[in-house]
């Protein structure tokens, strides 16, 4: 089957089953094209919380589908490729977080949404790259703040809010491998361009940027600007190029690819809808505590 045949089969089956397809901004374009909603982690969790559909196909990575299931437990949430994980989310376990917390006096633990359900359950409040600063600002000034697992987003939040934050040393391998030297080279290649980056980038890279934001924040920036270097995973650049063919956009690097985000192909989405696989389940013992940290985050406006 070619791309269009696959897409029309998916859309027909989706209609028949009254399902909804959610996709993250880093998904391949062919998958973004058949999605009912495309967004960043914060938007996807807000959409999940308000869903009417009982069948959800989540084109993204495990922690995103798990967050949707947490927020909408009565829905059947499907992840088309079970092995689509996030290596950063695996950089801290619930057990490691318990030992980390024990080193501090009554700390407030903030977990990036790129984390396991167990880590969310051990945390006080969750955050995404779209609301990390608001979440940190909501914490009383006398509290010790621990941030897991992303040291780069945590350090960006500390710098922007002026709060002292103890960081777990996790990172996203896709963003971590962008160096300041790469940035200087790309800026030389595109003189006069603005540089926008994701806060999962290293602090020395963020320091060279004109703007740092979640993938949605980056989309909003490009809506209002031209001549922009897009400093994140290539899926976002592909989406922006398709959306704004008249704009001068450049990727920070063409090889900045998250292999996990690229595992979901149209064939997988179709099979997932046909067989209703792979269904996300969450251990009931920890669901309530994990949900509480995600709901606390969603209440922060
Ligand atoms: P956003 O929430 O900004 O889309 O980021 C998710 C992610 O995994 C970035 O690597
Ligand atoms: Fe995880 Fe990085 Fe991929 Fe985002 S880009 S899903 S943080 S590995």
């Amino acid at each position: 089957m070619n791309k269009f045949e696959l897409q029309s089969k998916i859309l027909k089956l989706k209609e028949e089953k009254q399902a909804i397809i959610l996709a993250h901004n880093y998904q391949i374009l062919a998958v973004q094209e058949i999605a009912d909603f495309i967004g960043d982690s914060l938007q996807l969790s807000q959409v999940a919380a308000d869903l009417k559909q009982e069948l959800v196909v989540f084109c993204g990575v495990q922690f995103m589908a798990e967050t949707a299931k947490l927020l909408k437990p009565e829905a059947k949430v499907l992840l088309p490729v079970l092995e689509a994980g996030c290596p950063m989310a695996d950089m801290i376990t619930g057990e490691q977080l318990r030992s980390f917390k024990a080193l501090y006096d009554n700390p407030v633990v903030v977990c990036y949404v790129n984390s396991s359900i167990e880590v969310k359950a051990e945390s006080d409040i969750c955050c995404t790259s779209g609301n990390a600063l608001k979440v940190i600002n909501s914490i009383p000034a006398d509290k010790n703040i621990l941030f897991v697992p992303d040291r780069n987003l945590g350090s960006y939040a500390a710098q922007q809010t002026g709060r002292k934050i103890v960081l777990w040393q996790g990172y996203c391998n896709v963003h971590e491998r962008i160096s300041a030297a790469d940035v200087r080279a790309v800026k030389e290649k595109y003189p006069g361009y603005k540089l926008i980056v994701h806060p999962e980038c290293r602090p020395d890279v963020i320091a060279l940027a004109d703007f740092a934001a979640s993938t949605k924040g980056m989309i909003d920036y490009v809506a209002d600007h031209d001549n922009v270097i897009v400093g994140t995973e290539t899926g976002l650049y592909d989406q922006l190029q398709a959306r704004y063919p008249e704009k001068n956009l450049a990727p920070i690097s063409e090889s900045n690819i998250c292999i996990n985000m690229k595992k979901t192909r149209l064939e997988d989405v179709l099979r997932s809808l046909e067989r209703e696989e792979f269904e996300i389940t969450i251990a009931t013992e920890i669901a309530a505590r994990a949900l509480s940290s995600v709901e606390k985050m969603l209440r922060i406006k």
Side-chain angles (χ1 to χ4, degrees), residues 96-298:
Q96 286 173 314
L97 179 50
R98 280 189 288 278
S99 311
F100 188 40
K101 283 198 288 189
L103 301 174
Y104 298 87
D105 178 28
N106 197 20
V108 173
V109 178
V110 181
C111 70
Y112 190 22
V113 70
N114 299 39
S115 54
S116 66
I117 292 292
E118 206 188 344
V119 164
K120 289 184 176 72
E122 288 293 335
S123 300
D124 296 288
I125 186 163
C126 189
C127 78
T128 74
S129 55
N131 61 15
L133 308 186
K134 284 186 185 164
V135 167
I136 298 295
N137 280 328
S138 75
I139 299 169
D142 59 335
K143 289 284 184 187
N144 279 320
I145 304 175
L146 309 187
F147 192 95
V148 299
D150 187 9
R151 64 184 178 203
N152 291 339
L153 177 62
S155 117
Y156 175 71
Q159 187 236 334
Q160 292 290 309
T161 59
R163 296 294 298 270
K164 195 169 167 295
I165 301 178
V166 185
L167 306 171
W168 186 258
Q169 293 299 314
Y171 56 88
C172 161
N173 57 356
V174 179
H175 290 87
E176 181 81 7
R177 66 174 172 246
I178 302 171
S179 70
D182 296 335
V183 172
R184 285 192 199 97
V186 78
K187 278 185 149 191
E188 224 164 87
K189 193 167 166 201
Y190 298 99
Y193 276 46
K194 298 284 186 201
L195 171 67
I196 60 173
V197 298
H198 196 277
E200 286 175 13
C201 288
R202 287 154 35 168
D204 57 344
V205 166
I206 298 180
L208 294 170
D210 296 285
F211 183 67
S214 75
T215 54
K216 176 199 182 289
M218 294 168 94
I219 293 169
D220 293 346
Y221 184 94
V222 170
D224 296 337
H225 295 78
D226 199 354
N227 304 317
V228 184
I229 302 165
V230 182
T232 189
E233 207 273 344
T234 53
L236 187 73
Y237 169 73
D238 295 340
Q239 181 196 125
L240 289 167
Q241 224 193 9
R243 207 194 276 206
Y244 301 110
E246 75 290 358
K247 294 203 184 210
N248 297 310
L249 304 174
I252 200 157
S253 144
E254 299 205 359
S255 58
N256 212 41
I257 294 170
C258 173
I259 49 168
N260 284 285
M261 282 287 183
K262 300 295 186 261
K263 283 180 180 162
T264 309
R265 301 157 311 139
L266 287 173
E267 288 83 349
D268 301 304
V269 181
L270 181 58
R271 180 193 25 78
S272 176
L273 261 172
E274 281 170 346
R275 301 190 197 161
E276 299 195 6
E277 66 186 20
F278 296 96
E279 188 177 354
I280 298 289
T281 54
I282 292 173
T284 39
E285 318 83 75
I286 53 173
R289 283 192 296 139
L291 178 61
S292 149
S293 73
V294 174
E295 283 182 332
K296 251 189 236 162
M297 159 185 94
L298 291 177

Side-chain angles (χ1 to χ4, degrees), residues 70-89:
L70 259 188
L71 287 160
K72 201 72 197 167
E74 63 279 25
K76 193 172 194 180
V77 178
L78 307 174
L79 184 68
V81 179
L82 204 51
E83 306 75 41
C86 168
M88 171 160 60

